[in-house]
Amino acid sequence: MRYIKECGQTKPNTILQLLYIRSCYASQDQLTDEDQHEIQTICLSILKNNSHLVNSTFMEGIIMGLCCTPLWRNSLEYLNNFKNEKDIKIRAYSCTIFKAFKEEEIDIGWSLIQTMYNQHEILLTSVFAAWFNLCDINKNYSYQKVLEFLRDNECIVRTHLAELIHEKYKQYGSKITTTIIKPDGRCTNCNQILKPVEITNSEFKALQESFMSRVVIGKNIFNNSSPQELNNFKDFIKNTAPYDVVVDGLNVAYAYRGKIANDSLIKIVLKILIKQKSKVLLFGRKHLVQQLGNEFNFIKRNVNIFFADDLSKDDPFLLYAAMYSGIQTKILTRDLMRGHKFLLNNSKMQNIFQKWLQKNRLILKIRPQNEVFIRNPIPYLQTTQESGKGIWHLPYEEIKEPGSWSKPNSSPDNWMCIKTLD
Ligand SMILES: [Zn+2]
């Protein structure tokens, strides 16, 4: 930068200055007080002179610069000032988090990890690595904060972060191993039973009200349906609910295509449910009639059927029927309903929705020889949890999309059993 200043006839332009700041960030550990002062001056001056240019990439550069200087806390103000938090670049968060941990401003660091998670649904392995490093330097801080964060946010991590947790706990002297959880929730390593999925009546009532008011009255998810169809459906449910099981007809008919030969899966599934004497709603489209074949009349006599127009989206109808029916009603679908949890109005409600889905979604299994089973939902909580004093269980998934994570929509691929020394 000095070279440019000395050689150039004019002041370096803003883009060049921002590039310079970014390169300083890369070598921040070698910066002198004088360098830091210079970066600070550049940041403040380009901010002052370019307020019309403020966008996420610009601010990312400024925040990276400020995080090299004693003025790093100003970044918090800039992060807060963004009208749409989704526009903030991940890097702007992570730089501020690294700096906060370096300065032992741990509340600031963790609160930013939470904000980043809420806004971008991302858990960066590097920010957790920064926390572990801080714990290694200062024994007042505990690794367990990471497990507590994962527990409180009910998230399932990907392999990268799981490997980091494994490595750090192992170094620390804790007993940590991959494990298998039996269908009843028992860990094959430590023999502890994982916590059950529980939803209280008041939680379910709150979920029901939230769904009905935001999703149904708001009509945002019924956009493709005619008001007439929606009213017909509501009347139908009012007259026929409650159900034991709500079946996603199209999903069952097509999601398992190719897995079963020479017969219609939907027909087999309905016959199993009829045999169990369950009160069933089959929701689907008119062309499912062909798949039900000559047993349609038998099924019609034993199952409540509602066929919607081809334009409708199915999941809001299924959720409506299930939630209207009550806390015990099961739902049979492979649809993960990912879109819906974010329609609900807060993270607490999203978590209840996930738990409800896990607790109420039946699982279809097809074994060799076309044997079809309907398995009850997995009874144990599939999120990070403390199972006994100092014993933690942590689910994690293979990497599907780098840097991402998922809520427990489906069973996690792997589990870790950790006996902490804290
Ligand atoms: Zn265990």
Side-chain angles (χ1 to χ4, degrees):
M1 186 57 78
R2 268 176 219 121
Y3 173 78
I4 294 164
K5 274 189 211 157
E6 279 159 22
C7 301
Q9 300 296 315
T10 53
K11 257 181 73 181
N13 67 28
T14 307
I15 294 172
L16 197 59
Q17 284 178 312
L18 282 168
L19 280 173
Y20 172 66
I21 290 173
R22 283 170 181 268
S23 69
C24 290
Y25 184 83
S27 50
Q28 55 178 303
D29 292 336
Q30 285 120 50
L31 297 174
T32 63
D33 288 351
E34 196 190 332
D35 294 332
Q36 291 185 25
H37 183 74
E38 188 200 14
I39 296 167
Q40 200 169 294
T41 312
I42 295 174
C43 285
L44 296 179
S45 123
I46 50 181
L47 257 179
K48 195 173 156 204
N49 298 325
N50 297 282
S51 53
H52 59 290
L53 275 182
V54 172
N55 63 32
S56 54
T57 309
F58 178 89
M59 283 315 296
E60 182 188 50
I62 297 289
I63 287 173
M64 287 171 79
L66 289 173
C67 284
C68 300
T69 78
L71 280 190
W72 68 274
R73 281 184 185 77
N74 287 16
S75 309
L76 301 172
E77 194 190 320
Y78 301 135
L79 289 172
N80 280 336
N81 283 348
F82 259 82
K83 282 201 185 75
N84 185 354
E85 285 172 319
K86 281 202 187 329
D87 287 343
I88 301 172
K89 299 263 185 182
I90 303 283
R91 190 87 191 267
Y93 279 118
S94 63
C95 292
T96 317
I97 294 165
F98 295 146
K99 185 67 177 174
F101 284 159
K102 206 169 168 184
E103 298 293 326
E104 297 196 24
E105 290 279 12
I106 58 166
D107 292 343
I108 294 178
W110 279 104
S111 132
L112 287 173
I113 292 178
Q114 184 71 59
T115 312
M116 183 164 73
Y117 170 80
N118 293 346
Q119 296 305 326
H120 291 278
E121 299 155 35
I122 272 182
L123 297 172
L124 280 186
T125 304
S126 55
V127 301
F128 292 101
W131 175 256
F132 283 128
N133 291 341
L134 176 62
C135 296
D136 290 342
I137 297 165
N138 188 331
K139 298 296 173 202
N140 290 326
Y141 304 126
S142 163
Y143 284 1
Q144 194 161 303
K145 184 93 179 136
V146 173
L147 299 180
E148 287 165 1
F149 178 88
L150 298 176
R151 175 196 61 196
D152 296 345
N153 287 282
E154 301 190 357
C155 36
I156 295 181
V157 303
R158 297 291 190 203
T159 319
H160 281 322
L161 183 49
E163 280 170 354
L164 175 72
I165 292 169
H166 188 275
E167 182 196 317
K168 295 309 280 188
Y169 268 102
K170 204 171 167 198
Q171 270 173 21
Y172 191 65
S174 301
K175 282 185 185 155
I176 179 161
T177 179
T178 51
T179 186
I180 290 168
I181 306 295
K182 289 183 179 167
D184 65 352
R186 189 176 293 279
C187 168
T188 46
N189 183 55
C190 69
N191 235 11
Q192 296 277 347
I193 291 201
L194 300 199
K195 290 193 168 88
V197 189
E198 276 168 346
I199 295 189
T200 62
N201 283 331
S202 62
E203 279 178 328
F204 178 72
K205 202 157 182 286
L207 178 68
Q208 216 177 17
E209 276 166 14
S210 176
F211 179 83
M212 296 296 173
S213 64
R214 281 183 63 90
V215 181
V216 177
I217 298 168
K219 287 190 184 164
N220 49 349
I221 56 167
F222 282 101
N223 274 348
N224 291 333
S225 312
S226 71
Q228 185 59 47
E229 179 171 62
L230 183 57
N231 285 334
N232 289 346
F233 180 70
K234 282 182 176 172
D235 287 345
F236 179 84
I237 297 298
K238 200 172 154 193
N239 293 328
T240 55
Y243 299 105
D244 298 316
V245 184
V246 174
V247 177
D248 184 349
L250 276 192
N251 188 266
V252 172
Y254 295 110
Y256 299 82
R257 227 180 320 198
K259 283 202 169 180
I260 187 156
N262 301 329
D263 207 349
S264 144
L265 181 60
I266 186 72
K267 192 163 77 184
I268 299 171
V269 164
L270 290 172
K271 279 159 76 180
I272 295 174
L273 292 170
I274 292 168
K275 208 171 163 192
Q276 289 173 356
K277 301 201 184 312
S278 298
K279 185 172 177 190
V280 179
L281 168 69
L282 169 65
F283 182 85
R285 306 294 159 82
K286 291 192 178 74
H287 62 258
L288 276 179
V289 173
Q290 289 151 15
Q291 296 216 8
L292 298 172
N294 51 18
E295 280 163 280
F296 178 61
N297 285 333
F298 165 72
I299 288 168
K300 207 165 75 174
R301 278 198 302 278
N302 292 284
V303 169
N304 293 282
I305 299 176
F306 191 94
F307 289 141
D309 286 336
D310 284 353
L311 279 174
S312 313
K313 284 185 81 174
D314 291 5
D315 28 352
F317 288 91
L318 296 161
L319 290 175
Y320 181 92
M323 288 201 191
Y324 187 97
S325 277
I327 194 165
Q328 299 300 338
T329 303
K330 301 284 184 282
I331 187 162
L332 182 60
T333 179
R334 273 223 310 199
D335 190 322
L336 299 178
M337 310 263 174
R338 276 180 207 276
H340 289 292
K341 59 186 176 182
F342 297 109
L343 290 172
L344 302 167
N345 58 354
N346 61 41
S347 58
K348 193 174 167 230
M349 213 46 78
Q350 289 164 12
N351 286 337
I352 298 174
F353 179 72
Q354 283 309 125
K355 276 197 288 183
W356 173 79
L357 205 54
Q358 193 198 321
K359 199 174 164 55
N360 292 276
R361 183 164 52 200
L362 297 170
I363 301 158
L364 208 52
K365 288 276 166 202
I366 302 168
R367 295 202 184 138
Q369 318 298 329
N370 293 344
E371 247 187 308
V372 177
F373 290 86
I374 299 175
R375 221 174 63 190
N376 279 326
I378 293 167
Y380 55 89
L381 198 60
Q382 296 176 71
T383 56
T384 301
Q385 55 196 281
E386 193 171 13
S387 309
K389 203 172 163 17
I391 296 177
W392 285 76
H393 291 100
L394 173 121
Y396 63 101
E397 288 190 349
E398 306 295 338
I399 293 169
K400 282 144 194 158
E401 299 154 55
S404 65
W405 57 276
S406 78
K407 285 266 183 175
N409 290 318
S410 53
S411 299
D413 301 324
N414 303 294
W415 282 87
M416 231 183 264
C417 174
I418 311 168
K419 172 89 183 72
T420 65
L421 297 176
D422 287 332

